Amino acid sequence: MTDHTLDAFRSRCQARIESTLDALLPPLTVQPTRLHEAMRYTVLASGKRIRPLLAYAAGEALGVDAEFLDRPACAVELIHAYSLIHDDLPSMDDDDLRRGRPTCHRAFDEATAILAGDALQTLAFQALAEAPGLSAEARIRMVETLARASGARGMVGGQAMDLEAAGTPLNLAMLENIHIHKTGALIRTSVQMGIRASGDLVPDHAERLDHYAKCLGLAFQIQDDILDVEGDTSMIGKTAGRDRQLDKATYPALVGLAGAKEMASNLIDQAHTALEVFDSGADPLRWIADALLERTA
């Protein structure tokens, strides 16, 4: 039942996501066309759009109309897309493929890929600044939230810590700190977009949604490591086995495969507990959490 209900929710959101992304991205008829082609090549590639999906799901839990989350949801996806371009570069993880297609720097060239990532990052903040239907205060808070999650105190900082830690023995707390920043920050921000778009909100409800997102973000990374060990390509988009090739610490390496699966399951249980005060409007958030443990790719 979970798959069917999640699929129905995803299909309702997917058209909004793809339409908004297409409208936000510069058309191929506008100069510089090669740069714009690289941006569209990366962003419009097939993907599960988990981050915008979470933004819509958080909004639904709080009674926010989906139209008010179109741009905020896609702003997070644009940041995610830029991070993938840069993560794949020869100076970073040096990946040739992503989701079965040549990575941006392979499909175009390294300089174009760097510029495409830069342009996607700034486009994300433009999308928030111009988001219709939201108050100026809401838009400013969204910009602040996304900036913090994307920068040195968030995703980029996590990437830096991950690179520095390659080949270095890590304990569980150190590994968790890396992934709270590297992967978890944008997951939490996706849910924050729904919170920021809401009006008056019970403080406890905001804290519960944020705790849900924190648990989900860490569980995503653990499940990603599990699938890497088991030989599948992850939902996050990394090439299977890449972290092992780069000698990076993973959860299965530290606590064993069974231990990692137990950790992920416990985190999802915590995520569900955080949602107990919400009615059926939060069901999409529940479905997403359940689907995490069921995914095989």
Side-chain angles (χ1 to χ4, degrees):
M1 185 65 179
T2 298
D3 288 342
H4 295 306
T5 50
L6 179 57
D7 285 346
F9 177 75
R10 182 186 289 115
S11 66
R12 294 200 303 271
C13 297
Q14 194 74 27
R16 307 190 72 93
I17 296 167
E18 301 305 327
S19 176
T20 305
L21 287 172
D22 182 64
L24 285 170
L25 290 163
L28 297 179
T29 54
V30 174
Q31 292 287 341
T33 56
R34 184 172 175 81
L35 173 64
H36 296 162
E37 184 181 359
M39 294 167 68
R40 298 180 73 88
Y41 174 87
T42 299
V43 175
L44 299 180
S46 62
K48 291 185 172 63
R49 307 297 191 200
I50 187 63
R51 289 158 187 82
L53 195 65
L54 279 168
Y56 285 118
E60 183 147 328
L62 298 172
V64 178
D65 289 341
E67 64 181 299
F68 298 129
L69 284 167
D70 288 338
R71 287 200 173 207
C74 290
V76 183
E77 185 73 358
L78 291 171
I79 292 291
H80 175 58
Y82 123 72
S83 76
L84 298 184
I85 291 177
H86 285 192
D87 193 41
D88 289 336
L89 290 170
S91 58
M92 298 281 279
D93 282 359
D94 194 16
D95 273 316
D96 294 330
L97 294 174
R98 182 169 289 279
R99 299 186 183 122
R101 298 200 313 166
T103 49
C104 189
H105 69 277
R106 292 300 182 194
F108 296 87
D109 57 74
E110 190 172 347
T112 298
I114 292 171
L115 292 174
D118 293 343
L120 290 174
Q121 180 183 188
T122 56
L123 182 60
F125 293 104
Q126 180 183 343
L128 287 180
E130 299 174 352
L134 297 173
S135 68
E137 180 183 358
R139 284 182 277 126
I140 289 171
R141 294 187 71 188
M142 286 178 175
V143 167
E144 178 187 19
T145 299
L146 186 57
R148 286 182 180 274
S150 304
R153 300 291 296 274
M155 180 189 69
V156 171
Q159 289 278 24
M161 288 188 284
D162 195 31
L163 288 173
E164 292 171 2
T168 302
L170 297 179
N171 59 37
L172 203 57
M174 295 164 67
L175 183 61
E176 180 175 326
N177 186 47
I178 288 172
H179 291 303
I180 282 174
H181 292 80
K182 181 182 176 183
T183 303
L186 281 189
I187 295 289
R188 291 177 72 180
T189 294
S190 300
V191 172
Q192 285 290 332
M193 292 296 109
I195 295 173
R196 300 294 187 227
S198 64
D200 294 332
L201 182 62
V202 178
D204 176 64
H205 288 189
E207 292 173 6
R208 284 175 171 271
L209 286 173
D210 187 59
H211 186 66
Y212 162 91
K214 181 179 179 180
C215 293
L216 194 74
L218 191 55
F220 258 79
Q221 183 59 51
I222 296 173
Q223 188 71 1
D224 215 42
D225 287 353
I226 291 169
L227 293 180
D228 191 32
V229 170
E230 294 179 339
D232 289 320
T233 301
S234 78
M235 190 176 189
I236 299 296
K238 291 295 296 174
T239 302
R242 187 63 184 168
D243 282 349
R244 293 199 305 275
Q245 295 169 22
L246 295 176
D247 195 22
K248 292 183 180 179
T250 65
Y251 285 92
L254 289 180
V255 300
L257 190 58
K261 290 181 177 181
E262 183 178 1
M263 286 182 65
S265 180
N266 288 340
L267 284 164
I268 294 304
D269 286 344
Q270 292 181 47
H272 276 290
T273 299
L275 298 178
E276 286 179 346
V277 300
F278 295 94
D279 60 19
S280 60
D283 281 350
L285 291 172
R286 297 183 177 103
W287 301 332
I288 291 169
D290 289 336
L292 169 66
L293 294 182
E294 299 167 7
R295 68 186 176 99
T296 58

